[in-house]
């Protein structure tokens, strides 16, 4: 009985803290990756306060919560994260928060399981890099609109208006992506990167995609993986391979060296943004800017 009373006191204290947070009327939202932060800021606008845990160049697979993060999470009204074990080292933190009735929302819940790319080797059994199909991001936009509206019904109209405007921009982005890719001959659409972040991209836009590391960056590529992929690059006469901004470039440099040692010259086609956007305040610091930059970089290097 004592335990229950103690638990209730804690819950009561937590609720009164929540009420205190609500007094200025702003919904406090915490997000994980820069892609999610950008989306939620676009929809919430002036009506919410967004704190993103991860910055530019931060790898979500390896990210661990700091004490400051836990504090931010505990004071949030809503927490949006990627889900499908994207944030592999935060899963326990989110589960704990959910069990305390904090609003933790994986944006992957916006998608029908049947549309996810499966992976028996990954903890969630699904590929978590869902943002690389703009159609997915449109569905997630509507999902975030709905979730923010539930949390703050008095601003529902504003969230819906912002959501519609953003979805229109995503439609234009999707058209631009397809137009740019249409200039690249089909046989040259082979994308080799540091880790398996681009399978949804490949499926949506007709690329064969190969990552040197698996779905997570937690396991490094072995010598055999490098040699196998080097042979593949030579067989397919792939012109360029790509570094990722959130993964150390040594893996791709080792692959380039392996290809060159077999007598074929493969270029490094540039740095792609995979699991994090570019610096805040730059064009590549937005989802739309990042996607446009990636597609231009890929097509220019492989042409
Ligand atoms: Zn990844």
């Amino acid at each position: 009985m004592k335990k229950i009373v103690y638990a209730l006191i804690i819950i009561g204290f937590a609720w009164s803290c929540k009420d205190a947070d609500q007094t200025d009327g702003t919904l406090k939202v915490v997000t994980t990756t820069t892609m999610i932060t950008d989306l939620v800021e676009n929809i919430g606008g002036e009506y919410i306060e967004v704190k993103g845990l991860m910055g530019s160049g931060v790898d979500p697979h390896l990210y661990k919560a700091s004490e400051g993060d836990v504090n931010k999470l505990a004071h949030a009204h809503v927490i949006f994260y990627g889900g499908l074990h994207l944030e592999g080292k935060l899963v326990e933190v989110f589960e704990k928060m959910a069990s305390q009735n904090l609003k933790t929302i994986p944006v992957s819940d916006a998608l029908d399981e049947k549309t996810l790319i499966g992976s028996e080797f990954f903890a969630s059994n699904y590929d978590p890099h869902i943002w690389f199909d703009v159609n997915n991001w449109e569905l997630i936009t509507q999902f975030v609109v709905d979730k923010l509206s539930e949390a703050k019904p008095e601003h529902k109209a504003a969230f819906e208006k912002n959501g519609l405007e953003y979805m229109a921009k995503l439609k234009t982005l999707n058209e631009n992506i397809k137009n740019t890719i249409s200039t690249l001959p089909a046989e040259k659409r082979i994308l080799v990167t540091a880790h398996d972040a681009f399978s949804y991209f490949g499926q949506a836009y007709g690329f064969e995609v190969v990552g040197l590391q698996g779905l997570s960056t937690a396991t490094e590529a072995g010598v055999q993986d490098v040699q196998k992929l080097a042979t593949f690059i030579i067989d397919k006469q792939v012109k360029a391979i790509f570094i990722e901004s959130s993964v150390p470039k040594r893996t791709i440099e080792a692959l380039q060296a392996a290809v060159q040692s077999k007598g074929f010259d493969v270029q490094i086609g540039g740095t792609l943004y995979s699991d994090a956007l570019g610096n805040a305040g730059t064009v590549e610091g937005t989802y739309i800017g990042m996607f446009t930059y990636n597609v231009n970089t890929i097509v220019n290097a492989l042409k």
Side-chain angles (χ1 to χ4, degrees), residues 112-275:
D112 186 333
E113 235 177 64
K114 287 193 278 281
T115 66
L116 298 175
I117 296 176
S119 172
E120 53 182 319
F121 302 111
F122 194 61
S124 66
N125 291 322
Y126 293 109
D127 182 341
H129 303 89
I130 49 180
W131 56 94
F132 276 127
D133 178 344
V134 177
N135 284 324
N136 283 348
W137 214 235
E138 268 189 60
L139 293 169
I140 291 169
T141 301
Q142 185 59 54
F143 178 79
V144 171
V145 167
D146 294 342
K147 294 297 169 191
L148 288 179
S149 301
E150 277 168 30
K152 207 74 179 162
E154 62 267 45
H155 297 312
K156 187 172 189 253
F159 297 145
E160 281 180 349
K161 181 175 171 282
N162 291 345
L164 284 175
E165 279 172 15
Y166 194 67
M167 281 189 274
K169 287 183 191 167
L170 291 180
K171 280 206 164 59
T172 306
L173 170 69
N174 215 7
E175 287 310 308
N176 291 342
I177 291 170
K178 286 177 187 164
N179 286 338
T180 306
I181 289 172
S182 71
T183 65
L184 186 67
E187 70 275 11
K188 292 192 172 178
R189 291 180 201 167
I190 300 174
L191 180 60
V192 180
T193 60
H195 89 297
D196 266 327
F198 292 94
S199 294
Y200 289 95
F201 175 83
Q203 184 179 268
Y205 306 105
F207 273 76
E208 182 174 357
V209 171
V210 193
L212 184 53
Q213 289 165 270
L215 281 177
S216 172
T217 52
T219 39
E220 296 241 349
V223 176
Q224 270 192 325
D225 301 321
V226 174
Q227 291 304 326
K228 220 173 113 189
L229 192 45
T231 306
F232 171 86
I233 287 165
I234 297 164
D235 284 350
K236 302 266 182 172
Q237 300 283 297
V238 177
K239 234 178 110 182
I241 56 180
F242 299 88
I243 292 168
E244 294 171 41
S245 67
S246 52
V247 183
K249 64 179 176 183
R250 62 172 185 272
T251 54
I252 283 298
E253 286 173 344
L255 178 60
Q256 184 188 34
V259 173
Q260 285 171 342
S261 76
K262 291 178 193 287
F264 183 73
D265 194 21
V266 68
Q267 301 296 313
I268 289 182
T271 301
L272 303 180
Y273 297 102
S274 51
D275 293 6

Side-chain angles (χ1 to χ4, degrees), residues 48-161:
I48 65 171
E49 184 193 312
V50 185
K51 285 201 172 105
L53 298 185
M54 301 174 198
S56 172
V58 173
D59 181 348
H61 301 292
L62 305 179
Y63 188 84
K64 288 186 191 141
S66 68
E67 221 168 283
D69 290 343
V70 174
N71 194 38
K72 278 180 205 159
L73 288 165
H75 288 90
H77 300 119
V78 185
I79 297 156
F80 287 109
Y81 65 106
L84 304 176
H85 281 241
L86 172 69
E87 303 92 342
K89 312 237 182 261
L90 300 181
V91 172
E92 266 177 46
V93 177
F94 291 136
E95 278 170 4
K96 211 177 207 176
M97 301 254 161
S99 73
Q100 288 168 356
N101 284 328
L102 283 161
K103 266 198 181 308
T104 51
I105 305 170
V107 299
S108 57
D109 275 5
L111 307 178
D112 186 333
E113 235 177 64
K114 287 193 278 281
T115 66
L116 298 175
I117 296 176
S119 172
E120 53 182 319
F121 302 111
F122 194 61
S124 66
N125 291 322
Y126 293 109
D127 182 341
H129 303 89
I130 49 180
W131 56 94
F132 276 127
D133 178 344
V134 177
N135 284 324
N136 283 348
W137 214 235
E138 268 189 60
L139 293 169
I140 291 169
T141 301
Q142 185 59 54
F143 178 79
V144 171
V145 167
D146 294 342
K147 294 297 169 191
L148 288 179
S149 301
E150 277 168 30
K152 207 74 179 162
E154 62 267 45
H155 297 312
K156 187 172 189 253
F159 297 145
E160 281 180 349
K161 181 175 171 282

Side-chain angles (χ1 to χ4, degrees), residues 26-32 36-42 44-45 47-53 80 148:
T26 310
L27 190 75
K28 289 185 199 297
V29 182
V30 171
T31 51
T32 55
I36 301 172
T37 306
D38 177 54
L39 176 63
V40 173
E41 280 174 345
N42 269 290
Y47 302 107
I48 65 171
E49 184 193 312
V50 185
K51 285 201 172 105
L53 298 185
F80 287 109
L148 288 179

